[in-house]
Amino acid sequence: MTRTIELAVFDMAGTTIEEHGAVYEALRHAVESTGVTVADDDLQTWMGTDKREAIAALVRIGGGTPDAELVERQYGAFRAYLRKRYEEVPPQPIARADKALEELRARGIKVALTTGFSDDVALPLLDSLGWSTGPGGNLDAVVTSDEVRRGRPAPYMIHRAMEKAGVVDVRKVLVAGDTVVDLEAGTNAGAGVVVGVLTGQLTREQLELHPHTYVLDSVADVPGIPEAAR
């Protein structure tokens, strides 16, 4: 079997990192503390996106007026709530996710993480797990939402990960995540393999409604797909 993947791009929270639903709770808190109500379906729709964009959209859907000052204030509330939850229940790698990343890199496949978090949230989270890029690190690239003009479902974080990792053929990129916007971003980027994983809030049936190559139980299963073979 000829390996076709040169770069695997994974989402962070809910895909490679188990954070016990803290992002979901923090986003709801940030929006509902403005006085609007968030429907579960709407909240799920905006999971995985840039969090400032998500706050603005959900406040608007709830009937509020998300001006720039409100969005920035509520993003601060989101960060504070998330920090508190992470202190109470520290995040950890999804079961066997770290081994999967290690195995892919051992096969010569580069590994990148993308996230709807900005640097000030994402990098301390990775530090807490001991995950990093550079010499001795377990990652080839990390791309946060504040590095690009638009977050998911736009393809820009994936293309930025390719740039950082030195990969030029998007057909040789695998994208994996636990939300609909992860699948949409991979599809919009033109990735050769788009994978949904069941370690987030969505079921197999929900993910399979959207363009994908595979729906797997976990990123731990990614090394077993044919495109990632030795």
Side-chain angles (χ1 to χ4, degrees):
M1 175 71 68
T2 300
R3 175 171 57 78
T4 60
I5 297 303
E6 295 182 357
L7 171 66
V9 180
F10 298 114
D11 172 50
M12 285 176 49
T15 299
T16 52
I17 300 173
E18 173 58 76
E19 43 80 62
H20 310 286
V23 174
Y24 193 91
E25 295 174 18
L27 185 56
R28 180 182 291 280
H29 167 77
V31 175
E32 292 194 337
S33 60
T34 68
V36 306
T37 300
V38 180
D40 291 344
D41 287 349
D42 291 331
L43 187 63
Q44 185 58 57
T45 295
W46 285 90
M47 288 292 289
T49 65
D50 175 271
K51 295 305 177 283
R52 288 181 174 89
E53 290 183 17
I55 290 167
L58 290 168
V59 169
R60 186 177 297 110
I61 291 168
T65 303
D67 58 38
E69 182 179 350
L70 179 143
V71 170
E72 200 59 35
R73 182 176 68 248
Q74 297 314 116
Y75 180 69
F78 167 83
R79 288 177 53 202
Y81 188 99
L82 193 63
R83 183 169 57 248
K84 181 174 182 293
R85 287 286 286 113
Y86 282 174
E87 289 170 356
E88 294 169 349
V89 184
Q92 58 196 45
I94 292 284
R96 297 180 290 120
D98 48 352
K99 299 299 183 184
L101 306 190
E102 181 181 345
E103 186 170 351
L104 291 172
R105 295 185 86 216
R107 297 177 188 178
I109 299 173
K110 295 180 178 179
V111 171
L113 298 184
T114 61
T115 179
F117 296 152
S118 53
D119 280 357
D120 54 357
V121 176
L123 300 184
L125 173 56
L126 293 175
D127 286 344
S128 75
L129 300 176
W131 290 11
S132 65
T133 59
N138 67 330
L139 304 169
D140 296 287
V142 174
V143 181
T144 60
S145 62
D146 47 2
E147 293 185 54
V148 294
R149 288 180 61 87
R150 287 288 307 276
R152 307 181 189 111
Y156 308 138
M157 286 199 292
I158 296 165
H159 293 159
R160 179 68 174 135
M162 292 174 61
E163 183 180 3
K164 285 186 170 185
V167 172
V168 298
D169 188 346
V170 74
R171 295 169 298 179
K172 296 184 177 182
V173 175
L174 175 148
V175 175
D178 64 294
T179 67
V180 170
V181 292
D182 290 314
L183 301 184
E184 291 175 341
T187 301
N188 291 339
V193 180
V194 178
V195 177
V197 296
L198 302 177
T199 46
Q201 301 287 328
L202 298 181
T203 65
R204 179 179 299 276
E205 291 73 21
Q206 288 171 315
L207 287 173
E208 286 180 344
L209 292 173
H210 303 274
H212 65 280
T213 312
Y214 303 100
V215 175
L216 305 175
D217 289 340
S218 165
V219 294
D221 299 321
V222 168
I225 66 173
E227 293 87 347
R230 289 184 184 276

